[in-house]
Amino acid sequence: MSIQTFKRREDKFILTPEQLDALRNKLLGQMEFDAFCRNGSYEILNIYFDNTENDVIRRSVSKPYFKEKLRLRSYGTPDGDDYPVFLELKRKTGGIVNKRRAAMTYGQAVKYLFSGEKPENPDYLTRQVLNETDYFIMRNKVLPAYFLSYKRTAMFGIKDSSFRITLDTDIMARRDNVVLTGGCYGHRLLPPDTWLMEIKFSGAIPMDFVKILSDLKIYSRRFSKIGTEYNLHRMNKPSEQNEKPVRINAYTDPVLN
């Protein structure tokens, strides 16, 4: 098992295909593709946890000074219990993002999240993340609430590897069949051929990149994948006062059953 901790700032942009092509041309020689992008992109699958009243996402979209969320993430669709996955606690405090994650197998994650059985002999840091996850689950009484997937292209700066750009498309979400092994389908959160770009940095944004954005008239904007999913979910539900809680009654997984 392993753990990684990330602390950084993030900014978001919505790109058209034309803007994306122009940006890629400008970034030649400045950015290098992530090792996982050998085929152009890779799939990221997530299960987000919330309670029956959607309190976690409600707090998030209210733009508080501090917010946190719990998710189970895989890169590609798990094809068995030994497939690697990541349990992540993501917190944002005053614009600073802190992400702590523990690596484990899919089978270990399912046993822990749905029966409380922790992996055997975790190292100190993994145990610490699991303890924090225990507290989050107990305090918020969360369940697997919705599935979210997308295709990602990732790059990092040649001069400054801590400066990263991710480009996500085909962003899909659903509240049925909330499992990592169920395939990437659902309702779209952005129109086809639209890209969500996120820049991730620990210090200042490189001035060369700021100039490129200015030249191409690409401007930052607020966009939340989970916030958009929640708003679309509400559109298909009664008014807030009459909305019945959405509850996942059982976890059924074809790999485990």
Side-chain angles (χ1 to χ4, degrees):
M1 292 190 186
S2 64
I3 179 176
Q4 292 176 290
T5 300
F6 306 88
K7 188 175 182 180
R8 63 198 180 198
R9 292 185 178 272
E10 297 178 350
D11 210 349
K12 299 178 182 180
F13 308 78
I14 303 295
L15 304 183
T16 64
E18 294 76 19
Q19 288 175 315
L20 178 60
D21 287 342
L23 179 63
R24 280 175 166 164
N25 290 333
K26 292 276 189 179
L27 292 178
L28 290 175
Q30 297 189 40
M31 305 292 294
E32 186 171 343
F33 284 108
D34 186 286
F36 295 103
C37 293
R38 295 186 183 93
N39 296 321
S41 64
Y42 53 92
E43 286 185 332
I44 297 180
L45 290 70
N46 306 275
I47 292 175
Y48 283 87
F49 290 76
D50 208 335
N51 59 32
T52 57
E53 302 296 332
N54 297 294
D55 286 335
V56 175
I57 185 57
R58 286 175 190 264
R59 284 198 298 270
S60 180
V61 299
S62 69
K63 301 180 180 63
Y65 182 77
F66 171 80
K67 58 184 177 181
E68 60 183 340
K69 57 191 173 186
L70 173 67
R71 68 188 175 201
L72 181 64
R73 165 171 289 187
S74 67
Y75 296 87
T77 303
D79 57 5
D81 285 358
D82 293 331
Y83 197 93
V85 298
F86 297 91
L87 183 65
E88 300 184 343
L89 272 172
K90 188 173 182 180
R91 301 180 174 108
K92 190 171 185 179
T93 307
I96 302 295
V97 176
N98 183 289
K99 184 169 74 173
R100 295 166 62 75
R101 70 181 191 177
M104 58 187 68
T105 68
Y106 180 65
Q108 288 172 329
V110 169
K111 287 180 181 178
Y112 166 63
L113 290 168
F114 301 100
S115 68
E117 181 182 342
K118 291 184 178 179
E120 294 183 3
N121 304 316
D123 58 44
Y124 171 78
L125 291 176
T126 299
R127 188 163 59 249
Q128 184 177 357
V129 169
L130 294 178
N131 288 339
E132 293 176 16
T133 302
D134 284 344
Y135 180 69
F136 180 91
I137 292 173
M138 178 188 68
R139 186 177 76 249
N140 296 288
K141 297 179 175 59
V142 296
L143 301 160
Y146 51 92
F147 171 91
L148 197 151
S149 67
Y150 38 91
K151 293 179 181 177
R152 168 166 290 183
T153 301
M155 297 172 279
F156 60 90
I158 293 176
K159 294 181 180 179
D160 179 9
S161 60
S162 67
F163 178 65
R164 297 186 68 244
I165 298 174
T166 60
L167 297 158
D168 298 338
T169 191
D170 290 341
I171 306 172
M172 302 282 190
R174 65 176 185 265
R175 292 206 174 207
D176 65 303
N177 195 26
V178 185
V179 294
L180 293 180
T181 55
C184 298
Y185 69 91
H187 51 267
R188 287 184 178 273
L189 302 189
L190 285 174
D193 298 323
T194 303
W195 296 75
L196 172 65
M197 178 173 73
E198 295 186 55
I199 60 172
K200 307 164 194 287
F201 53 99
S202 56
I205 304 174
M207 289 306 299
D208 289 348
F209 186 73
V210 173
K211 185 178 186 308
I212 289 173
L213 295 180
S214 178
D215 290 344
L216 297 178
K217 295 181 171 55
I218 296 174
Y219 307 108
S220 65
R221 58 167 291 178
R222 290 183 180 275
F223 181 85
S224 166
K225 294 185 184 83
I226 62 173
T228 302
E229 188 282 332
Y230 176 61
N231 287 332
L232 289 173
H233 169 69
R234 288 183 61 196
M235 288 173 59
N236 296 317
K237 300 292 290 183
S239 65
E240 192 69 23
Q241 291 80 6
N242 299 321
E243 181 178 353
K244 293 182 180 179
V246 177
R247 184 177 184 87
I248 307 299
N249 292 319
Y251 181 83
T252 55
D253 191 310
V255 171
L256 298 176
N257 293 343

